[in-house]
């Protein structure tokens, strides 16, 4: 994988960004990059006409705004030349082959930014695009999309990004500077895999728990001693798997996640939002990949395994849109 060395001043114009996946996450962060001066285009399917005409309206704790993409496309063949950054904010689902989906718009100097949940999600993209820089990005934010063309941002917004699998790069720093310039706190890390494991500690506990408990928001979960106790057990198991995989997490990470959840505004997790909307849930990316990693390292994770089996049962009983 070759690092791209051009800096912001070496772009003839502002960086060109193509957002693939304009749901809540892609729409919000794509909009913030547009505010920062990037030339942002959006691939839209179901909401193509609406976004093309009216953009994406965003009600935000940081101030409402409308994201009007520079160009709205219905197919990647409509976008040329290849972008400087491709911001991939698709759900990580078995039925979505991200590499093949984006292939025709990835040029030799395109940096692929994976703004997605889960662990061990980058490898298929590295295999498909060995010469392209991959930036892995983690969003710590409370977002929802209650209706087409509209996003609600109720809390947080921080990003952690890093060149995959490790190290730093000029483009990683550029992307962080763009976000920070529009009040999106964006931290760069030289160890993004550890950062992914750290986020998984929260996701593997509260996302499935919110569904399995009958549709609970974050505040309701952390107000229940039993739910908090169960969340801690899942979190501790994720920490054990991370350590076995070579990415030990700090001892305080579990309590930091509990305390952070207690402090946030009540929020329905992304998995619960998908469940209630009849959409596929990221069971494999969040739970399945972690469980398979545990099995590779002979780590016993009974609570994680139980959550995974139950969520698979729930998913199999749903009829997705």
């Amino acid at each position: 994988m070759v690092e791209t060395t051009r800096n912001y001043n070496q772009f003839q114009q502002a960086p060109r960004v193509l957002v693939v996946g304009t749901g809540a996450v892609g729409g919000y962060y794509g909009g913030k990059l547009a505010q920062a001066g990037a030339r942002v285009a959006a691939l839209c399917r179901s909401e193509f006409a609406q976004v093309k005409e009216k953009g994406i309206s965003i009600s935000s704790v940081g101030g409402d705004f409308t994201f009007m993409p520079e160009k709205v496309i219905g197919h990647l063949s409509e976008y040329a030349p290849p972008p400087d950054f491709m911001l991939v904010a698709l759900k990580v689902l078995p039925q979505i082959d991200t590499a093949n989906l984006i292939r025709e718009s990835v040029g030799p100097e395109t940096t692929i930014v994976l703004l997605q949940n889960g662990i061990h999600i980058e490898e298929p993209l590295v295999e498909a695009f060995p010469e392209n820089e991959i930036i892995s990005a983690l969003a710590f934010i409370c977002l929802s999309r209650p209706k087409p063309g509209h996003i609600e941002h109720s809390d947080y917004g921080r990003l952690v990004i890093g060149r995959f699998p490790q190290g730093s790069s000029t483009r990683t720093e550029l992307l962080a500077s763009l976000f920070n310039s529009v009040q999106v706190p964006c931290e760069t890390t030289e160890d993004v895999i550890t950062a992914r494991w750290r986020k998984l500690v929260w996701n593997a506990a509260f996302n499935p728990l919110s569904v399995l408990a009958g549709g609970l928001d974050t505040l309701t979960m952390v107000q229940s001693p039993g739910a908090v106790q169960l969340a801690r057990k899942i979190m501790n198991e994720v920490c054990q798997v991370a350590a076995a995989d070579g990415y030990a997490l700090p001892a305080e990470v579990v309590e930091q996640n509990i305390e952070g959840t207690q402090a946030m505004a009540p929020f329905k997790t992304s998995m619960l939002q998908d469940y209630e909307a009849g959409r596929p849930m990221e069971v494999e990316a969040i739970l399945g990949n972690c469980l398979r990693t545990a099995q590779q390292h002979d780590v016993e994770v009974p609570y994680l395994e139980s959550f995974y089996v139950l969520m698979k049962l729930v998913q199999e009983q749903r009829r997705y849109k």
Side-chain angles (χ1 to χ4, degrees):
M1 183 163 50
V2 177
E3 178 184 348
T4 304
T5 57
R6 290 192 301 166
N7 62 31
Y8 184 63
N9 293 327
Q10 290 172 314
F11 287 103
Q12 291 184 348
Q13 300 180 33
R16 299 171 65 252
V17 179
L18 176 59
V19 179
V20 179
T22 49
V25 171
Y28 176 79
Y29 287 109
K32 298 306 287 186
L33 285 174
Q35 285 186 336
R39 294 178 293 157
V40 184
L43 173 66
C44 294
R45 300 287 176 83
S46 59
E47 299 177 11
F48 174 85
Q50 180 167 348
V51 174
K52 187 175 181 64
E53 179 182 358
K54 299 181 179 180
I56 299 172
S57 65
I58 300 168
S59 299
S60 172
V61 290
D64 299 349
F65 65 100
T66 299
F67 169 34
M68 291 294 300
E70 178 183 68
K71 185 174 183 179
V72 180
I73 61 174
H75 192 274
L76 289 177
S77 61
E78 302 168 27
Y79 186 87
D84 300 306
F85 293 91
M86 181 174 290
L87 183 66
V88 179
L90 299 166
K91 292 286 184 180
V92 183
L93 302 169
Q95 60 267 43
I96 298 178
D97 186 340
T98 300
N100 280 334
L101 191 153
I102 68 174
R103 188 178 299 278
E104 66 180 289
S105 287
V106 175
E109 293 190 346
T110 297
T111 295
I112 302 168
V113 184
L114 299 179
L115 186 54
Q116 299 175 301
N117 282 325
I119 198 71
H120 293 312
I121 66 167
E122 297 91 352
E123 286 83 351
L125 277 298
V126 172
E127 182 177 349
F129 307 104
E131 300 302 317
N132 290 81
E133 180 177 15
I134 307 290
I135 294 177
S136 199
L138 307 166
F140 299 85
I141 191 167
C142 298
L143 290 170
S144 62
R145 189 178 61 172
K147 59 183 179 180
H150 180 71
I151 294 168
E152 292 187 358
H153 169 215
S154 59
D155 211 346
Y156 296 113
R158 180 172 68 96
L159 289 170
V160 176
I161 67 174
R163 184 171 183 261
F164 184 84
Q166 61 185 1
S168 61
S169 73
T170 301
R171 287 205 175 185
T172 302
E173 296 296 334
L174 167 59
L175 193 61
S177 70
L178 289 171
F179 281 120
N180 283 310
S181 73
V182 287
Q183 290 72 56
V184 174
C186 185
E187 170 192 346
T188 61
T189 177
E190 295 191 7
D191 187 7
V192 74
I193 300 178
T194 296
R196 274 209 172 272
W197 277 111
R198 188 163 188 152
K199 185 178 181 186
L200 192 73
V201 169
W202 193 96
N203 270 339
F206 285 114
N207 261 294
L209 183 56
S210 66
V211 175
L212 296 173
L216 301 185
D217 64 26
T218 52
L219 180 60
T220 305
M221 286 188 284
V222 294
Q223 286 178 336
S224 165
V228 171
Q229 182 181 18
L230 182 55
R232 281 196 180 98
K233 291 183 183 297
I234 293 288
M235 291 179 179
N236 282 321
E237 288 187 348
V238 173
C239 290
Q240 293 171 30
V241 180
D245 204 38
Y247 302 95
L249 301 175
E252 64 272 15
V253 69
V254 170
E255 291 311 311
Q256 287 176 345
N257 273 281
I258 298 293
E259 292 169 5
T261 308
Q262 291 169 336
M264 74 167 60
F267 175 68
K268 289 186 176 182
T269 68
S270 61
M271 196 172 277
L272 179 57
Q273 291 181 45
D274 288 337
Y275 174 79
E276 291 183 340
R279 297 188 295 260
M281 297 175 288
E282 295 177 305
V283 175
E284 296 301 332
I286 291 174
L287 295 175
N289 288 354
C290 185
L291 178 59
R292 285 182 281 272
T293 303
Q295 292 167 342
Q296 290 169 8
H297 297 294
D298 294 320
V299 179
E300 293 187 2
V301 285
Y303 289 95
L304 180 65
E305 186 172 6
S306 296
F307 264 28
Y308 176 69
V309 171
L310 289 170
M311 286 302 299
K312 290 282 285 184
L313 286 171
V314 170
Q315 184 149 261
E316 287 166 6
Q317 295 303 311
R318 295 302 304 269
R319 190 173 185 178
Y320 296 112
K321 295 180 180 179

